Structure formats: structure tokens, C-alpha cells
Amino acid sequence: MAVSRLVVLVSGSGTNLQALLDAIAAHPGGPEGFGAEVVAVGADREDIAGLERAEKAGIPTFVCPVKGYATREEWDAALTAATAAHEPDLVVSAGFMKIVGKAFIDRFGGRFINTHPALLPAFPGAHGVRDALAYGAKVTGCTVHFVDGGVDTGPIIAQGVVEIRDGEDEAALHERIKEVERTLLVDVVGRLARHGYRIEGRKVTIQ
Ligand code: GRF
């Protein structure tokens, strides 16, 4: 079976990236057994732990800061080209805090997944944890989904549920969500890679 090539996009601490790297390394069958390997890590900013994790693992990195380009379209084209250069089968947005544009979606739509720290369609956007707390929700969680042209609107692949504790703050809740999120992301990426999948409208079936 072919090993799926993953490009992972990060903006911050990169613990979801690390979970993927660890799961692939710990699999008794290595990348072949897991079904996928991380071939490159991309970021929208320098000097983040996510890039350090990639470098430590000997994985090529690239950085495309929005401010480095005259227009958002030029940035999107550059990010698309830098990602495409690594010939990914799947692109994983793992805490990548930028909305990509049309060129990126045209190129990678249907094989671009994101992890979001809330139970979509509730609480999309950059503050999913804060918004769930402020709303007074009793449960929240995380969602792994395919990315479409909207903000956290694409077909859902899998979700994990986390109960909100009384008096909990955003940071504590986000940490507990991320524990569930890392396991979910590793599980989803492995299953997509090993089994293949179909997207029909909003329905995702892992084969
Ligand atoms: C995750 O909770 C992700 O859903 C959110 O940012 C966090 C990234 O964490 N958008 P890390 O960089 O993988 O540690």
C-alpha cells in the first residue's frame, strides 16, 4: 500500500503535529503501517514551536507570512505553490490560523483537512473555545473536517466531545479539548490514509 504524503500547516505550538509525528514513529509498521508520513511542515510565521518540532524531526519546512506579499491572493498563490512542491496526498491544517484562498482550495479541495476546537457547526472561527464558554454551553469538543471555501463549514469527518466544567477558564478548557483533539486527528488521518474515503455532499465515509 502506498504511504500517503502529508503536508501539515501550523501557526503555533504544534502539539497536534507532534502527535502525528509520534504516532507514525511509534507505529510498529512505521509510516507503511500507519499509512502516512509527514513530508513537510508549512507555517505563516517564523519562530514558532511547531516549526522547531519539524526541524527536530528532520522534516523540511516552509514559511509564507501574509505580510510578505502585496496582496492576499499573492500570499495564497505562494502558499499553494510551496505546499504543492511537496506533492501531498493530504494537507492537514493543525492549528493553522489563516483562512486560505481560492487557489489553495481549488488545488487541495477534497484532500485538505482542518481540526477545530469546538463541535461544528457551533462556534466556528478563531475563538471556538472562548465562544462556547461565553455562550454557556455544557459540552463542547473538537471537529476534524474537510476545508471548503467557508470558515469551518466543510464536511465533518469526526468529532470528540468534552464536558465543560463549572468555573473553568478558556486556557484550561482548551488544553482538555486539545488532548481529545490530538487523539482524534491521529486516528482520522491514519484511517483516511489507510482506507481511503468518499465525500458525497456533506457526508464523509471512510471506506
Ligand atoms: C488546536 O486546538 C486547533 O484546533 C486550534 O489551535 C490549536 C492548535 O494547537 N485551531 P497546536 O498548535 O497543535 O498545539
Side-chain angles (χ1 to χ4, degrees):
M1 190 183 66
V3 177
S4 290
R5 297 171 61 82
L6 308 178
V7 169
V8 181
L9 302 179
V10 296
S11 296
S13 62
T15 64
N16 281 283
L17 163 67
Q18 191 68 56
L20 276 169
L21 295 173
D22 291 348
I24 294 166
H27 196 287
E32 288 77 17
F34 183 83
E37 65 181 330
V38 180
V39 296
V41 172
D44 64 327
R45 61 197 78 182
E46 308 270 3
D47 300 325
I48 54 171
L51 287 173
E52 274 173 39
R53 292 175 192 277
E55 280 151 21
K56 205 169 161 202
I59 293 167
T61 62
F62 58 90
V63 181
C64 297
V66 172
K67 286 198 176 101
Y69 300 88
T71 64
R72 190 80 181 200
E73 286 69 30
E74 281 177 36
W75 170 76
D76 190 47
L79 183 72
T80 303
T83 302
H86 297 280
E87 302 181 349
D89 297 301
L90 279 178
V91 181
V92 182
S93 160
F96 187 64
M97 300 306 285
K98 289 284 180 300
I99 306 297
V100 302
K102 189 175 178 315
F104 199 93
I105 297 294
D106 284 352
R107 182 78 180 243
F108 299 112
R111 53 198 177 105
F112 179 28
I113 73 173
N114 178 49
T115 175
H116 179 74
L119 292 174
L120 295 171
F123 312 119
H127 303 293
V129 180
R130 187 189 307 173
D131 293 347
L133 267 179
Y135 198 84
K138 299 299 183 196
V139 295
T140 185
C142 48
T143 302
V144 180
H145 65 96
F146 284 103
V147 181
D148 63 9
V151 177
D152 300 324
T153 50
I156 292 171
I157 309 167
Q159 296 183 298
V161 175
V162 175
E163 286 196 21
I164 297 178
R165 294 176 182 158
D166 288 345
E168 192 168 36
D169 69 7
E170 182 184 354
L173 176 59
H174 198 175
E175 268 320 306
R176 290 200 302 117
I177 291 171
K178 282 173 67 170
E179 281 173 29
V180 176
E181 197 175 16
R182 291 190 279 263
T183 307
L184 190 72
L185 182 67
V186 165
D187 176 66
V188 165
V189 170
R191 288 194 295 125
L192 292 174
R194 287 190 297 275
H195 304 303
Y197 58 89
R198 288 196 315 274
I199 308 172
E200 289 155 314
R202 292 210 54 86
K203 294 268 188 291
V204 179
T205 309
I206 298 180
Q207 286 150 344

